[in-house]
Amino acid sequence: MEDPAQRRVDYGERSFDATDLAAHPLAQFQDWYSAAVEAGEAEPNAMTLSTAGPEGVSSRTVLLKGVDARGFVFYTNQRSRKALAIAHDPRVALLLAWHGTHRQVAVRGTAETVPRAETEAYFASRPYGSRIGAWASEQSRPIASAGELHEREAELRRRFPDTGSPADVPAPPHWGGYLVRALEVEFWQGRTSRLHDRLVLLSRDGSPAALDDAAAWRVERRQP
């Protein structure tokens, strides 16, 4: 393999200043997300979720499935390691990295489960195979072989045949969504010579705030 220490990427001269910020964090995030989509990012909604559970700190990639004034939403098996960590400590961090635009958005906040009706509505929108997969995988638990998992999948396909209806596979009771309510949202723009622009929006009272409430946030520039 190549020597990682010798890899160099110049992030260019695109700047990001407080005068460039949108009216509130939600609008700024939507603007940068749209730019990432237009830039052809393979999965612009992929984000790293970091948690601190009984076994320590861990990170993994999850997919952003919603963002609104409340915060950022993702879905998962609620018996998984990440879910057990959130139950232990709801404080989490998110990171979306868009390499094509040399941008990152980092979020700190607290996670809570979304209403069951919201989970079921999203689950019904998923492809048939993904709905079966949510039942087949006992996420984070050991398994003897991939074959065992595929046998379980086949049995579930027989149990819940594909009828073309969103109701053919019900949402598992152990599967659901989490809403991350933000108290800090950092917008990072890569710059040449590693002198990156970092603008951090901080909740004025130190607790999670509505992303569309401009008055609830203050801006802080941090050194790269």
Side-chain angles (χ1 to χ4, degrees):
M1 61 175 281
E2 71 169 16
D3 180 0
Q6 300 307 310
R7 177 159 290 272
R8 299 283 186 271
V9 176
D10 191 330
Y11 293 155
E13 293 295 341
R14 177 186 286 173
S15 63
F16 187 57
D17 208 344
T19 55
D20 300 317
L21 280 168
H24 47 67
L26 179 59
Q28 185 61 54
F29 180 84
Q30 291 170 330
D31 180 59
W32 275 23
Y33 183 88
S34 295
V37 172
E38 292 171 6
E41 293 284 349
E43 283 196 288
N45 61 330
M47 58 186 184
T48 300
L49 165 70
S50 296
T51 57
E55 299 176 350
V57 177
S58 60
S59 297
R60 75 289 289 161
T61 301
V62 297
L63 297 177
L64 176 68
K65 290 300 181 179
V67 57
D68 54 31
R70 302 171 303 161
F72 303 83
V73 176
F74 67 92
Y75 293 86
T76 190
N77 186 311
Q78 293 181 328
R79 298 172 183 166
S80 64
R81 183 173 66 173
K82 70 178 80 64
L84 296 177
I86 289 170
H88 174 78
D89 186 342
R91 294 175 297 175
V92 302
L94 303 173
L95 177 67
L96 294 102
W98 298 313
H99 303 292
T101 53
H102 306 311
R103 287 172 171 171
Q104 298 180 46
V105 176
V107 178
R108 290 197 308 113
T110 58
E112 62 188 55
T113 56
V114 305
R116 186 63 186 174
E118 188 173 335
T119 285
E120 291 178 349
Y122 169 70
F123 190 82
S125 75
R126 303 181 89 204
Y128 172 78
S130 296
R131 284 179 280 140
I132 288 293
W135 279 94
S137 174
E138 297 180 1
Q139 197 174 100
S140 301
R141 299 183 184 181
I143 192 167
S145 69
E148 182 179 330
L149 183 62
H150 295 313
E151 287 174 10
R152 190 183 304 157
E153 177 195 20
E155 190 281 325
L156 285 162
R157 286 178 179 270
R158 291 190 292 271
R159 177 181 172 189
F160 300 119
D162 185 2
T163 65
S165 165
D168 53 18
V169 185
H174 55 271
W175 192 93
Y178 287 93
L179 167 68
V180 177
R181 296 188 183 274
L183 53 84
E184 177 180 312
V185 185
E186 177 179 329
F187 295 92
W188 181 101
Q189 174 67 63
R191 298 290 304 278
T192 192
S193 300
R194 300 298 188 257
L195 297 178
H196 314 303
D197 288 327
R198 297 177 62 191
L199 296 182
V200 185
L201 296 174
L202 298 155
S203 168
R204 289 188 181 278
D205 66 5
S207 60
L211 292 177
D212 64 349
D213 182 0
W217 301 87
R218 64 181 178 86
V219 183
E220 178 178 280
R221 174 177 279 275
R222 291 180 181 166
Q223 298 179 61

